[in-house]
Amino acid sequence: RNIVHASDRRAYEEAAKRLQLENAEREKIIPRLRVESRRKYLEKRKEDKVAELEADILDDEYLFEEEILTEREKKERLHKKELLKLAQEHEKARELERVQRYHMPRDLGKNSTSDYIEVDELEKAPQSEQKKWEKDQMASAVFKFGAKDASKGDEYELLLEDQIDFIQALQMPGSKDKLKKEPELTEVEMKKLTIEETKRSLPIFPFRDDLIQAVQEHQVLIIEGETGSGKTTQIPQYLHEAGFTADGKKIGCTQPRRVAAMSVAARVAQEMGVKLGNEVGYAIRFEDCTSERTIIKYMTDGTLHREFLSEPDLQSYNVMIIDEAHERTLHTDILFGLVKDIARFRPDLKLLISSATLDAQKFSEFFDDAPIFRIPGRRFPVDIYYTKAPEADYVDACVISILQIHVTQPLGDILVFLTGQEEIETCQELLQDRLRRLGSKVKELIVLPVYANLPSDMQAKIFDPTPPGARKVVLATNIAETSLTIDNIIYVIDPGFAKQNHFNSRTGMESLMVVPISKASANQRAGRAGRVAAGKCFRLYTAWSYKHELEDNTVPEIQRINLGNAVLMLKALGINDLVHFDFLDPPPHETLVLALEQLYALGALNHHGELTKLGRRMAEFPVDPMMAKALLASEKYKCSEEIVTITAMLSVNSAIFYRPKDKIIHADTARKNFNHLGGDHLSLLNVYNQWRDTDYSTQWCYENFIQSMKRARDVREQLVGLMQRVEIEIVSNINETVNIRKAITAGYFYHVARLSKGGNYKTAKHNQTVTIHPNSALFEELPRWILYHELVFTTKEFMRQVIEIESKWLLEVAPHYYKPKE
Ligand code: ADP
Ligand code: MG
């Protein structure tokens, strides 16, 4: 009866090992404590001394609190020890040779919702948690002992090679008034709803007239409502219907994310029965899908920020909605200050600030105590489960959890939060591989990815209704946290990480890293499971971790990223006194000063801090100031054609080289063929030019494991247009790579490092240790001086996209910044 074949098992183990190696890097970026306990966990696991290890973990956790234990904590500790004992017995009972790590509760437990248990309540009442846990464990222990009888219903035990055991720690209550009255919509019922019915079923619908009236009465309104209540899609339509566009002026709505702007615009066009780009359109960086007729315009916050340059009073808008305000992106934060200012001298402009969370009060205070319009939420309770011990590899853990849900839980779609495209692709491949091997033994599972670089027709697929009898699993970045609402999600899997930009204002270094999310994010994610029915959220971290390691809220972007771009834009808008700009939360002073210094060194500001002619031209480009400078410098070095291409390629960046897991070697060989010894920028140029020479052939991309080229071409076209606007002729100088590299250096002289002992590099200004990324063409070349495009922090600070330069160029291109050695 053992369905798992030995050969499959070996293949799986090999894959797992490979993945573990790849993930060793990722491992180390997790906060130290977590890594420590994880490492111990792994080592011990290998020796198969699971019980001991778990004791270790608990000891670790309590070391911190030993001296300051209160009565309650002592009780809690005792309780956890008991849990551990149970766990140990449980471990002994399991079949040793199977990597059956955890067990998932089998009943949906919907009936246990009679009394609400607040987030911390359960931890305060260890008895109830323990009882529940014991009950679960007993059930599974009994089940395991009896497994040899092959009683029916345990077939999945044999299907699944490994499982994860979750502990239900708490329940996120639903909205009390709705819980009993609201009948759960079954899948079939959901599908039968027409667009009109769907619109009427949204929580915002009963408040339509109140909302319109509130907008009529107040100039500024703060709107607060759960994700999925219909804020983004409905409010612009209501206002349009109420005549706010009658004079031909627009309703604008900003989104922090590109994907959201596109997808929501498409949805609203569909609801209104118009063609996307006509009455309803969207604008994102490098892409404008609007027309003269557009009256409802969705756009990214960055795009609106940019629109201020050409239309400082937003004259073409009657209403501006700053949506997803709680996301607190840099651009949204700056927009707050800009629109607040405009509202003062444009009393006819209506301003709506809409947010999914509890920040409404803060927004209201900022906007001179603007009234708050609350849309009562409609949420079903969500059971929250934690893993018993830290998961070493969360992508792997996701795959296991997905299969576990698929095999043991009633139908209902799954939403998984991963950190980026690469991870999503890995997860998708692992999952599809395992599904292939399971074949018809399990129901159909439709795997759909969604991330920013995914082509929009693929993105739209996540909204297609799931066919009867099948289950959908959406692998998403945190775009699905609040920006996009996918209906019918019942299960959420949350590994607890997201990708974030971090800026060190001391060293001026900015790097991209995977960091633990905040409690607020974790709860948003869990909330996605309770929109249409009671749901479950599986957190791939421990309850301890949640409580002690996650910050309460995510730090607003303005306080943690490089402000060069924002400062340049503000200066270009004529806002000179940045220190007194009306920020909701001001950026750290040093970050602001550093941005000013950088712009000065780039020549965008003069020594009075005023915008120069060069700075004004730089502000024309919707790219980082360093990139803008390189584009402008290409005029002097007569290689604008090449720099434009390189810029376009860098802007789609890591998405260019495709590495399917089953063809890694082929893909890597193909990639090496493009390598240019001058550096990675030139390799990217090679890729683009070869593709162009095949007349933009798709087949060529396929054969060379290259993707996202269409977007690169679109971006390139936009850039060519902008170059014309600043009157730079497009000229090619492909054989003079020194010129190309000098132009890049003119923008990126901040990002320069010099070879030091042991193959490491030290940054020129701050002597920070950095390393060339193994993917680079220069990885083994180790030139004396290099310039990097970006830093990515995984195990170390890796420089991604590097070129070789000569130190004397620095004196030539950045005399403000580099001085010759005395
Ligand atoms: P909110 O902004 O309050 O979070 P939305 O207006 O985004 O809510 O979503 C309201 C409803 O519209 C949801 O049920 C969501 O599933 C649906 N919806 C949004 N975008 C799309 C789309 N592109 N395709 C299908 N349905 C969509
Ligand atoms: Mg929304």
Side-chain angles (χ1 to χ4, degrees):
R1 282 286 308 267
N2 195 346
I3 301 174
V4 181
H5 294 298
S7 59
D8 283 356
R9 174 157 206 107
R10 210 169 307 124
Y12 170 67
E13 272 162 9
E14 268 161 30
K17 212 184 287 162
R18 203 171 58 225
L19 201 78
Q20 211 164 326
L21 286 178
E22 280 170 20
N23 281 311
E25 256 186 25
R26 189 186 292 130
E27 264 294 284
K28 302 205 179 114
I29 57 173
I30 299 159
R32 206 167 38 130
L33 171 76
R34 214 145 141 197
V35 171
E36 282 297 303
S37 49
R38 271 171 195 233
R39 194 175 307 128
K40 270 192 200 149
Y41 180 74
L42 279 178
E43 278 166 14
K44 292 276 164 84
R45 172 125 266 157
K46 264 188 221 137
E47 298 160 26
D48 226 355
K49 289 184 193 161
V50 179
E52 243 180 75
L53 122 88
E54 255 133 29
D56 270 356
I57 290 168
L58 284 181
D59 281 344
D60 268 6
E61 292 172 358
Y62 283 97
L63 270 182
F64 292 83
E65 290 175 302
E66 201 69 46
E67 294 100 320
I68 43 159
L69 285 185
T70 63
E71 270 311 303
R72 190 172 74 73
E73 282 163 337
K74 275 185 191 144
K75 248 194 191 159
E76 209 175 275
R77 183 179 172 186
L78 216 66
H79 158 61
K80 293 221 173 170
K81 289 246 149 103
E82 298 246 312
L83 284 186
L84 178 67
K85 224 175 85 199
L86 277 168
Q88 287 163 342
E89 280 168 19
H90 174 64
E91 289 289 356
K92 269 184 225 145
R94 65 187 198 141
E95 300 166 44
L96 277 179
E97 58 94 17
R98 196 182 284 175
V99 205
Q100 190 172 338
R101 289 186 287 189
Y102 297 111
H103 163 79
M104 181 178 286
R106 295 170 76 182
D107 68 317
L108 252 179
K110 259 186 232 152
N111 308 330
S112 61
T113 59
S114 51
D115 28 42
Y116 300 99
I117 303 162
E118 291 294 342
V119 169
D120 269 339
E121 283 303 298
L122 257 169
E123 298 196 22
K124 281 185 206 138
Q127 285 310 316
S128 62
E129 183 191 2
Q130 179 170 352
K131 281 213 182 93
K132 178 156 181 34
W133 201 84
E134 277 174 20
K135 219 174 105 224
D136 280 352
Q137 291 313 307
M138 282 310 285
S140 70
V142 168
F143 165 72
K144 278 194 182 110
F145 285 123
K148 285 198 188 82
D149 302 339
S151 53
K152 67 175 177 339
D154 55 353
E155 213 146 318
Y156 73 84
E157 286 286 328
L158 300 171
L159 284 178
L160 295 175
E161 294 159 23
D162 37 20
Q163 295 178 44
I164 297 188
D165 200 359
F166 290 94
I167 303 174
Q168 181 179 2
L170 52 88
Q171 182 181 65
M172 201 155 72
S175 40
K176 296 184 190 190
D177 51 331
K178 293 284 175 187
L179 181 69
K180 293 273 151 56
K181 281 179 274 168
E182 202 72 36
E184 288 180 19
L185 294 175
T186 66
E187 237 183 309
V188 184
E189 278 169 330
M190 284 300 293
K191 247 170 279 162
K192 275 197 298 221
L193 295 182
T194 62
I195 281 188
E196 197 42 47
E197 282 164 338
T198 311
K199 288 184 65 166
R200 284 167 181 276
S201 75
L202 290 172
I204 198 173
F205 182 74
F207 303 93
R208 180 184 183 274
D209 296 340
D210 292 350
L211 181 74
I212 291 171
Q213 196 185 343
V215 176
Q216 272 155 351
E217 283 169 10
H218 303 280
Q219 189 189 7
V220 185
L221 199 61
I222 316 294
I223 296 170
E224 184 196 289
E226 279 286 328
T227 301
S229 45
K231 301 180 299 296
T232 311
T233 53
Q234 305 306 305
I235 294 176
Q237 293 187 67
Y238 293 170
L239 296 179
H240 164 61
E241 289 156 15
F244 280 90
T245 52
D247 58 359
K249 286 193 190 177
K250 284 173 290 200
I251 296 171
C253 179
T254 67
Q255 295 292 313
R257 297 158 195 281
R258 210 152 61 81
V259 178
M262 291 157 71
S263 138
V264 165
R267 169 69 180 180
V268 172
Q270 187 195 8
E271 285 184 11
M272 290 175 55
V274 300
K275 193 165 162 282
L276 181 62
N278 288 352
E279 283 79 3
V280 181
Y282 67 87
I284 57 179
R285 190 162 79 136
F286 296 126
E287 193 178 337
D288 186 355
C289 180
T290 63
S291 63
E292 293 284 283
R293 285 156 68 182
T294 302
I295 37 154
I296 295 182
K297 175 170 172 181
Y298 290 93
M299 64 200 116
T300 55
D301 46 12
T303 303
L304 179 61
H305 191 178
R306 193 148 273 287
E307 270 188 23
F308 273 89
L309 285 178
S310 50
E311 197 182 61
D313 52 0
L314 299 184
Q315 211 33 259
S316 65
Y317 295 91
N318 276 336
V319 183
M320 185 51 71
I321 306 170
I322 308 293
D323 199 6
E324 312 285 341
H326 61 273
E327 289 240 2
R328 302 291 309 276
T329 58
L330 173 63
H331 287 300
T332 291
D333 263 22
I334 288 173
L335 285 176
F336 289 147
L338 294 176
V339 294
K340 180 177 171 182
D341 186 41
I342 282 190
R344 289 204 187 105
F345 59 88
R346 261 204 65 192
D348 59 314
L349 177 74
K350 299 291 186 183
L351 204 57
L352 275 65
I353 312 296
S354 122
S355 154
T357 49
L358 311 166
D359 306 326
Q361 195 55 44
K362 182 168 184 165
F363 296 136
S364 165
E365 279 160 25
F366 178 77
F367 285 98
D368 307 323
D369 295 317
I372 300 174
F373 191 97
R374 288 210 162 84
I375 303 158
R378 176 200 295 167
R379 193 166 71 194
F380 295 91
V382 176
D383 289 339
I384 298 197
Y385 296 87
Y386 292 100
T387 54
K388 221 165 59 177
E391 274 300 317
D393 175 347
Y394 61 79
V395 176
D396 189 43
C398 282
V399 174
I400 297 168
S401 306
I402 294 165
L403 289 172
Q404 226 170 315
I405 292 172
H406 190 46
V407 176
T408 67
Q409 306 285 306
L411 281 184
D413 297 341
I414 309 173
L415 175 61
V416 186
F417 288 98
L418 291 162
T419 69
Q421 177 177 357
E422 225 171 296
E423 220 166 79
I424 288 175
E425 282 170 357
T426 308
C427 186
Q428 188 176 4
E429 276 159 26
L430 285 172
L431 188 58
Q432 269 158 350
D433 185 44
R434 302 230 0 211
L435 284 170
R436 216 172 294 125
R437 280 188 279 130
L438 286 169
S440 59
K441 290 177 210 119
V442 295
K443 291 193 207 84
E444 187 185 358
L445 184 66
I446 302 161
V447 188
L448 297 170
V450 56
Y451 46 80
N453 278 321
L454 194 70
S456 38
D457 52 327
M458 295 283 287
Q459 277 166 16
K461 283 211 172 96
I462 59 169
F463 294 107
D464 290 347
T466 316
R471 191 198 298 270
K472 174 163 86 184
V473 51
V474 180
L475 310 176
T477 57
N478 60 356
I479 181 169
E481 201 172 288
T482 59
S483 306
L484 286 186
T485 305
I486 307 158
D487 289 321
N488 282 327
I489 298 294
I490 304 284
Y491 308 98
V492 164
I493 298 175
D494 173 20
F497 291 95
K499 224 178 242 171
Q500 253 187 18
N501 240 332
H502 272 257
F503 182 59
N504 181 335
S505 59
R506 195 175 50 79
T507 59
M509 296 209 299
E510 191 173 26
S511 58
L512 199 60
M513 48 174 138
V514 173
V515 297
I517 58 171
S518 64
K519 288 194 177 86
S521 278
N523 291 329
Q524 276 294 337
R525 290 179 174 191
R528 299 306 103 242
R531 233 173 68 75
V532 290
K536 291 184 175 193
C537 172
F538 297 94
R539 292 183 172 158
L540 302 179
Y541 41 94
T542 61
W544 192 90
S545 202
Y546 173 82
K547 203 170 160 196
H548 301 265
E549 289 179 344
L550 301 195
E551 300 286 341
D552 287 340
N553 288 296
T554 313
V555 178
E557 216 173 46
I558 198 165
Q559 297 185 331
R560 61 176 157 80
I561 70 172
N562 181 356
L563 298 177
N565 191 23
V567 170
L568 180 63
M569 295 282 294
L570 289 171
K571 290 277 178 185
L573 286 173
I575 297 164
N576 264 319
D577 181 10
L578 294 178
V579 177
H580 294 103
F581 183 77
D582 201 354
F583 289 112
L584 183 57
D585 287 308
H589 187 71
E590 13 356 326
T591 316
L592 209 50
V593 170
L594 210 82
L596 291 167
E597 275 173 15
Q598 187 186 23
L599 291 171
Y600 172 73
L602 284 167
L605 301 178
N606 63 22
H607 61 278
H608 298 300
E610 297 155 349
L611 204 64
T612 60
K613 187 162 171 280
L614 176 68
R616 191 158 299 285
R617 291 173 95 202
M618 278 166 64
E620 290 286 333
F621 293 90
V623 298
D624 188 276
M626 297 190 281
M627 189 79 108
K629 175 71 186 289
L631 282 162
L632 292 173
S634 71
E635 184 178 24
K636 176 177 170 193
Y637 294 105
K638 302 195 178 16
C639 55
S640 49
E641 162 97 31
E642 284 74 28
I643 297 295
V644 163
T645 304
I646 289 170
T647 304
M649 290 295 277
L650 286 170
S651 80
V652 277
N653 196 351
S654 52
I656 296 283
F657 298 99
Y658 175 53
R659 271 179 108 220
K661 285 281 171 293
D662 53 337
K663 290 195 187 115
I664 285 183
I665 297 171
H666 294 96
D668 289 352
T669 316
R671 178 178 185 154
K672 284 214 175 75
N673 287 336
F674 295 110
N675 276 357
H676 190 297
L677 281 183
D680 303 309
H681 297 61
L682 299 165
S683 309
L684 288 174
L685 181 64
N686 255 343
V687 173
Y688 190 89
N689 287 345
Q690 287 193 32
W691 179 58
R692 184 196 56 199
D693 294 344
T694 65
D695 200 18
Y696 310 107
S697 146
T698 313
Q699 180 64 23
W700 180 90
C701 289
Y702 182 75
E703 284 163 7
N704 289 282
F705 299 92
I706 298 291
Q707 61 182 3
S708 308
M709 292 302 287
K710 199 184 155 298
R711 180 158 166 79
R713 189 180 173 190
D714 290 345
V715 172
R716 193 180 177 287
E717 246 154 55
Q718 298 283 322
L719 286 170
V720 169
L722 290 168
M723 290 292 262
Q724 276 157 4
R725 211 149 91 187
V726 296
E727 297 175 340
I728 294 181
E729 224 186 312
I730 300 292
V731 291
S732 171
N733 197 355
I734 186 83
N735 297 321
E736 273 301 326
T737 79
V738 168
N739 276 11
I740 298 173
R741 284 181 289 152
K742 273 188 182 175
I744 297 168
T745 313
Y748 283 84
F749 54 82
Y750 266 85
H751 286 183
V752 164
R754 165 177 26 90
L755 186 64
S756 73
K757 284 181 224 86
N760 278 334
Y761 281 83
K762 298 273 189 195
T763 57
K765 270 283 174 173
H766 293 275
N767 229 25
Q768 293 277 307
T769 305
V770 287
T771 312
I772 300 182
H773 195 279
N775 269 347
S776 168
L778 300 185
F779 181 56
E780 286 165 358
E781 301 296 324
L782 301 179
R784 262 167 66 80
W785 285 85
I786 58 173
L787 171 154
Y788 61 87
H789 179 63
E790 63 180 357
L791 281 182
V792 181
F793 183 75
T794 51
T795 40
K796 337 175 180 179
E797 295 276 3
F798 279 118
M799 299 176 280
R800 223 165 38 191
Q801 320 288 12
V802 301
I803 52 170
E804 176 174 7
I805 60 160
E806 286 173 38
S807 59
K808 60 174 195 262
W809 299 352
L810 295 171
L811 304 178
E812 177 184 332
V813 302
H816 290 310
Y817 196 69
Y818 291 100
K819 300 263 177 289
K821 244 193 189 137
E822 305 289 309

